Amino acid sequence: VQLVESGGGSVLAGNSLKLSCAASGRTFSSHGMGWFRQAPGKEREFVADIRWTGSTYYADSVKGRFTISRDNAKNTVYLQMDSLKREDTAVYYCVAFQVHGITMTYDYWGQGTQVTVSS
């Protein structure tokens, strides 16, 4: 099973990027899919996720600027990032997870893709 991110890069503040995460090895239509990020010297933090129902959740820091979506037919999840800020600079990781009651298990992680925002 693999999760492969793409779409990272270097952009100026205020611009946009769209990340993709393609899953292979199994289908993830019953999994939640999400994005975390880790900036230098900081802990990995939640960015956004989308449940198998289609419900979406966002960190307060990206709400209104980022949009998560998924295409189950392509086994792919996307993260549209608009109005990027310097503080969005980080390595972005894709994750596939399951929800059991109030517990979430993060089953698979991608290798990460770098996003650098400069002013």
Side-chain angles (χ1 to χ4, degrees), residues 1-2 4-6 9 17 31 47 54 60 64 66 71 78 80 112:
V1 176
Q2 272 193 312
V4 179
E5 302 98 334
S6 61
L17 277 177
H31 274 69
V47 176
D60 287 343
F66 290 11
D71 184 335
Y78 306 96
Q80 176 67 44

Side-chain angles (χ1 to χ4, degrees), residues 3-8 19-22 35-36 91-95 109-113:
L3 300 179
V4 179
E5 302 98 334
S6 61
L19 305 183
S20 300
C21 172
W35 294 90
F36 280 69
V91 177
Y92 284 70
Y93 296 92
C94 176
V95 62
W109 290 87
Q111 83 289 348
T113 186

Side-chain angles (χ1 to χ4, degrees), residues 64-92:
R65 300 188 298 119
F66 290 11
T67 304
I68 189 170
S69 61
R70 65 190 295 168
D71 184 335
N72 288 334
K74 295 183 178 180
N75 234 15
T76 299
V77 63
Y78 306 96
L79 185 68
Q80 176 67 44
M81 305 186 294
D82 298 322
S83 302
L84 282 161
K85 304 176 180 180
R86 288 186 62 184
E87 51 263 43
D88 295 319
T89 295
V91 177
Y92 284 70

Side-chain angles (χ1 to χ4, degrees), residues 28-44:
F28 288 91
S29 57
S30 61
H31 274 69
M33 301 291 291
W35 294 90
F36 280 69
R37 67 186 181 186
Q38 187 167 19
K42 296 187 177 181
E43 294 187 353
R44 191 171 297 189

